Amino acid sequence: MAFETLVTDELDRLPDDMVDGLDNVIFVVEDRPEDGSLDLLGLYDGFALTERDRYGQGELPDRIIVYREPHLHACDDIDALRDEIHTTLVHEIAHFYGIDDTRLHELGWA
């Protein structure tokens, strides 16, 4: 199964109230982070909802990037891959809502 399909499937499984609030955000799959590492599974690139007072009309969309190769490197089977993609999506969407890594760790999503 294609990695992009897994990402789409996991997005579809997220609660509506988590996804419906996303404004001007696109989801992107890339092979690896710019530094080539296998440590980073995803990235939120944009302004959190809590910082949107700086946001203007016509802004480019924020991006949630899911990195293919780090996920494949970290997971031994399709079930683990699905779980990790799900966790990555929740983690990066939380950054959109202004939740930082410390709080995500407390909640078990980091």
Side-chain angles (χ1 to χ4, degrees):
M1 181 175 283
F3 187 82
E4 290 84 355
T5 302
L6 292 174
V7 172
T8 301
D9 289 350
E10 290 308 314
L11 268 172
D12 289 344
R13 288 186 173 98
L14 294 175
D16 288 342
D17 58 349
M18 180 183 292
V19 179
D20 288 347
L22 296 175
D23 178 42
N24 203 30
V25 177
I26 61 171
F27 291 84
V28 179
V29 172
E30 293 184 3
D31 286 334
R32 283 188 185 204
E34 287 184 21
D35 67 2
S37 76
L38 292 172
D39 297 330
L40 187 63
L41 298 174
L43 178 70
Y44 175 68
D45 179 25
F47 290 103
L49 197 57
T50 55
E51 300 173 0
R52 291 274 173 114
D53 61 321
R54 294 185 240 150
Y55 215 65
Q57 288 279 16
E59 294 284 341
L60 290 175
D62 293 357
R63 300 182 313 150
I64 291 178
I65 305 167
V66 179
Y67 295 112
R68 177 189 348 255
E69 291 177 20
H71 275 88
L72 296 175
H73 179 76
C75 301
D76 294 330
D77 60 43
I78 191 78
D79 291 332
L81 185 57
R82 283 184 184 279
D83 287 346
E84 197 60 59
I85 290 170
H86 186 91
T87 299
T88 299
L89 289 170
V90 170
H91 183 103
E92 301 311 331
I93 289 170
H95 287 319
F96 166 83
Y97 288 112
I99 301 171
D100 65 15
D101 283 336
T102 302
R103 182 67 179 132
L104 283 168
H105 185 73
E106 291 168 1
L107 295 170
W109 289 104

